[in-house]
Amino acid sequence: MAAASLALGPGTVIEGLRIDRELGHGAFGVTYLVTELQSNESFALKEFLPVSLAARNPDGRLGPARPEQAAAYNEGLKHFLEEGQLVSRLRHANVVEVLRCFKANGSAFLLMPHYRGEPLDKLLKRSGTLSPDEALALARPLMDALNYVHGHGLVHQDIKPANIYITENGQPILLDFGAAGQRLNAGASTRWKLGSEGYAAPEQSEPDGKVGPWTDIYGMAATLYRCTSGKIPVAGAQRQRAVSEGEPDPLLPIENLLPGGEFAVICRAIRQGLALRRADRPQT
């Protein structure tokens, strides 16, 4: 069932928060624009909503769609809350702020500020690409944010234009820490390996792949590749497979897509960040 059909309707009140409308949804959650009844202020509220596992009861409660899915549903709910609690401790101008996380209606929720602006992927659909100055203005604060996140023992694992919000004053905000609960020292068996095709590093598709800051660096480089060239990089797993079979890397080098000179610094950063071997990428 689609997330839109499982979403709570306008007027629903959750913990003193009235849902006004849906802001967006994905495979694991839905985000609403809500009004806090006591203060009359607007916020964003993200609900745990794994569309492949969940069902909404007539009374509005969320739960596993089938009995055999209960274990997976409850494990996901636990991860969602743990991740919300971890991210709520982060304080950085370019990292989404989690104000509160709580359980209700058989589900879990994260309360966040309502940023005014638009996601980077929508901006790119309209404008096509970024200039060198615009790309650097985007990358520098986000890399500082990632350095801060990694310093707190977390790894985002899903850096991509859709998870970067550009506010009305041009400030980039890193969103959707759906994988941030995966601490840097977590074993492979305890991690949920996320990522999106074209932006996910090769190790994210390997059973024993070691995930760390280099994984987010790959996602950041892939994002810059898209921002400057207008093209999404070839999937990391596809690149890895081709090279392991003795074929050329199918990724078109960024230097082939951009003019030299003013793009030189960005091209070098993208080339290093998109290295297939994690050891060949910057480690911080």
Side-chain angles (χ1 to χ4, degrees):
M1 186 176 291
S5 61
L6 289 172
L8 292 166
T12 305
V13 176
I14 303 288
E15 297 278 311
L17 302 162
R18 185 192 67 229
I19 293 175
D20 298 326
R21 62 182 173 88
E22 184 183 322
L23 291 173
H25 60 262
F28 300 100
V30 59
T31 303
Y32 309 99
L33 176 66
V34 300
T35 298
E36 185 179 54
L37 297 177
Q38 186 173 0
S39 66
N40 205 35
E41 291 184 48
S42 294
F43 295 90
L45 184 69
K46 183 174 181 178
E47 181 183 12
F48 170 70
L49 190 63
V51 294
S52 63
L53 299 173
R56 182 81 69 185
N57 296 330
D59 63 0
R61 288 183 61 82
L62 195 72
R66 297 190 296 275
E68 62 270 22
Q69 294 177 309
Y73 178 91
N74 291 329
E75 184 70 10
L77 186 65
K78 177 186 172 186
H79 275 282
F80 185 90
L81 282 170
E82 287 176 348
E83 289 152 6
Q85 289 160 0
L86 286 166
V87 179
S88 69
R89 300 171 195 164
L90 303 179
R91 290 292 182 272
H92 190 283
N94 303 101
V95 174
V96 64
E97 186 176 4
V98 173
L99 303 169
R100 183 158 60 103
C101 49
F102 58 91
K103 289 179 72 174
N105 271 23
S107 186
F109 298 83
L110 305 180
L111 184 67
M112 301 168 288
H114 176 223
Y115 301 103
R116 297 188 182 277
E118 64 179 334
L120 178 59
D121 63 330
K122 289 188 177 179
L123 186 153
L124 290 171
K125 284 178 183 176
R126 189 175 66 253
S127 63
T129 59
L130 301 184
S131 70
D133 287 344
E134 290 170 334
L136 288 172
L138 172 78
R140 285 176 173 144
L142 287 176
M143 288 192 293
D144 187 70
L146 286 174
N147 191 50
Y148 172 84
V149 169
H150 298 155
H152 282 72
L154 304 177
V155 58
H156 188 284
Q157 272 210 81
D158 199 16
I159 308 295
K160 60 181 178 180
N163 284 341
I164 297 168
Y165 201 82
I166 309 299
T167 66
E168 286 180 333
N169 64 1
Q171 185 88 334
I173 306 290
L174 189 55
L175 302 177
D176 200 356
F177 278 70
Q182 302 166 32
R183 300 170 190 247
L184 295 181
N185 61 355
S189 62
T190 64
R191 290 191 313 239
W192 282 14
K193 292 188 180 179
L194 300 183
S196 301
E197 187 167 353
Y199 300 99
E203 61 268 19
Q204 289 179 268
S205 61
E206 298 168 352
D208 299 315
K210 188 175 181 182
V211 171
W214 48 86
T215 306
D216 285 345
I217 287 169
Y218 188 100
M220 188 69 231
T223 296
L224 284 174
Y225 188 106
R226 164 62 186 92
C227 287
T228 54
S229 73
K231 298 180 182 298
I232 298 174
V234 176
Q238 182 182 340
R239 296 178 60 204
Q240 187 86 304
R241 186 165 53 250
V243 171
S244 66
E245 293 173 357
E247 299 174 5
D249 185 344
L251 178 70
L252 194 62
I254 189 66
E255 290 86 352
N256 292 14
L257 299 171
L258 299 178
E262 57 183 352
F263 277 102
V265 171
I266 296 170
C267 285
R268 185 165 65 249
I270 291 173
R271 184 177 66 253
Q272 293 175 342
L274 288 179
L276 280 173
R277 293 177 67 249
R278 66 173 188 270
D280 293 336
R281 294 176 225 143
Q283 300 297 289
T284 68

